[in-house]
Amino acid sequence: MDKFQINDGTFIRYKIDGEGPPLLLLHTIRNRIEYFDNLIPYLIKYYKIYSIDLPGHGDSPINKKTNYDQQFMTDIICSFIENKKLTNLTIAGESIGAVLAATISKILPEKIRKIYCFNPYDYDKKFAEGVSRGNLMSKFLFFHMRLPFGIGYFFSKLECIPILWIIFRGGVYNKKVITFGYIKKLCKSLKKKYFTFHERNVFNNFKSWSNHAENYKNITVPISLIYGQYDWSKEEERKKTMISLGLKSFETLINTGHFSFLENPIEVTNIIKKNTR
């Protein structure tokens, strides 16, 4: 792992795998760079892959003075792209990573060949509305996490391996892909200074992720929009995103949930290969 210093005094982790045209991978909310471990072995034959921790995620540190909204993360990743002198770049993002693929492409269209938006998390009208749809545990925990007067903060501190395991199982069709080992990696973040602040801050910035008018207008690079059949988004929300992106259709990954990079890496790879080449 390497470190890329960012303008709030912290850094984001990143790594580079393979040779070929550049491909940047962007993960979901409450995730980390290891999210791509199932996907990279299939893509490495075709691309030079840049995978990163989004700011404050994974083992990248947190600055409590930073507001981790869409604009901040967009600006940081654009700085990364420019620093690494990436051109003819393909971006594949999932969840908030899909939203970021779109917003980055608006700022650096001349550097980007194509973007892939998998399961964009762009429909919350309140704190963690989408992830709350996963199962009863998600609904219970995130309902209480959004409560005021310190109650929400108290429930945020309850996150642990068993609870996170149940929540992530609500984001996939094949429950077996959510392994104890992976959840244990995710829970390493619980020990980080200001972790609870960061998680709540990202979810509390839901308006920045759901602002279709600002995030999706005037995109000039080619786009592919893909949803897992069992993603948390509703059909009308998928169609709204499709229209906002100026598309006439989207692809569907059968028997796949929100975490498609983790659950269905072969089909994700096939989509990226088919549409990029």
Side-chain angles (χ1 to χ4, degrees):
M1 297 286 179
D2 290 310
K3 298 176 181 178
F4 177 72
Q5 300 296 322
I6 63 177
N7 61 13
D8 69 348
T10 64
F11 62 84
I12 57 174
R13 294 188 306 160
Y14 75 95
K15 65 174 184 171
I16 305 172
D17 298 279
E19 294 294 335
L23 169 67
L24 176 64
L25 299 177
L26 303 175
H27 61 68
T28 77
I29 198 169
R30 184 53 183 100
N31 227 310
R32 59 193 290 125
I33 201 170
E34 289 84 0
Y35 182 64
F36 310 117
D37 285 355
N38 287 3
L39 183 59
I40 287 175
Y42 297 102
L43 289 168
I44 200 169
K45 304 173 187 177
Y46 312 100
Y47 300 97
K48 186 173 186 177
I49 303 167
Y50 293 78
S51 48
I52 67 172
D53 273 337
L54 292 180
H57 288 74
D59 289 340
S60 300
I62 297 163
N63 184 336
K64 198 173 183 181
K65 295 180 180 179
T66 295
N67 184 32
Y68 292 91
D69 64 356
Q70 172 272 123
Q71 189 63 61
F72 175 77
M73 294 200 193
T74 296
D75 290 343
I76 295 304
I77 301 167
C78 285
S79 296
F80 178 85
I81 292 169
E82 291 180 313
N83 179 270
K84 301 305 173 187
K85 296 180 171 58
L86 302 181
T87 58
N88 198 30
L89 175 65
T90 299
I91 304 178
E94 180 130 78
S95 187
I96 62 170
V99 179
L100 290 169
T103 56
I104 293 162
S105 75
K106 292 177 59 175
I107 296 176
L108 301 174
E110 72 284 355
K111 296 182 180 294
I112 296 172
R113 182 180 183 183
K114 179 155 186 175
I115 62 172
Y116 294 87
C117 298
F118 288 83
N119 296 316
Y121 194 80
D122 59 1
Y123 43 86
D124 275 2
K125 295 181 176 63
K126 56 187 175 182
F127 182 106
E129 179 182 3
V131 65
S132 298
R133 299 170 181 173
N135 50 37
L136 287 176
M137 175 61 77
S138 299
K139 185 175 182 179
F140 172 84
L141 184 64
F142 287 104
F143 170 82
H144 289 88
M145 280 175 65
R146 71 173 68 106
L147 294 176
F149 308 120
I151 301 173
Y153 186 86
F154 169 78
F155 276 91
S156 298
K157 299 292 285 186
L158 297 180
E159 190 173 320
C160 58
I161 289 177
I163 287 177
L164 198 62
W165 179 74
I166 295 171
I167 289 172
F168 264 68
R169 280 168 59 90
V172 294
Y173 174 78
N174 177 12
K175 310 302 183 187
K176 292 181 180 179
V177 302
I178 306 301
T179 64
F180 175 81
Y182 186 69
I183 297 301
K184 189 175 180 180
K185 286 181 183 178
L186 289 177
C187 284
K188 285 175 60 181
S189 300
L190 297 175
K191 301 176 182 178
K192 285 199 308 183
K193 191 175 183 180
Y194 305 135
F195 167 78
T196 301
F197 159 79
H198 176 266
E199 182 176 38
R200 292 178 58 77
N201 184 267
V202 177
F203 277 121
N204 272 320
N205 275 299
F206 62 88
K207 290 182 180 178
S208 76
W209 304 105
S210 302
N211 187 352
H212 284 220
E214 183 62 31
N215 296 342
Y216 294 156
K217 69 178 181 181
N218 301 326
I219 294 177
T220 58
V221 304
I223 308 169
S224 284
L225 176 63
I226 308 98
Y227 285 99
Q229 181 182 5
Y230 298 103
D231 180 52
W232 298 321
S233 57
K234 300 176 181 178
E235 185 66 21
E236 61 268 24
E237 292 165 343
R238 302 180 189 193
K239 290 180 179 177
K240 180 181 177 181
T241 295
M242 178 188 74
I243 294 169
S244 296
L245 288 170
L247 301 175
K248 295 182 179 179
S249 63
F250 58 81
E251 298 183 62
T252 301
L253 291 170
I254 302 302
N255 293 339
T256 305
H258 185 71
F259 301 113
S260 71
F261 288 12
L262 194 66
E263 183 175 19
N264 203 345
I266 295 176
E267 286 305 312
V268 169
T269 298
N270 288 339
I271 287 173
I272 295 173
K273 284 194 314 178
K274 173 183 68 176
N275 291 317
T276 300
R277 298 192 176 281

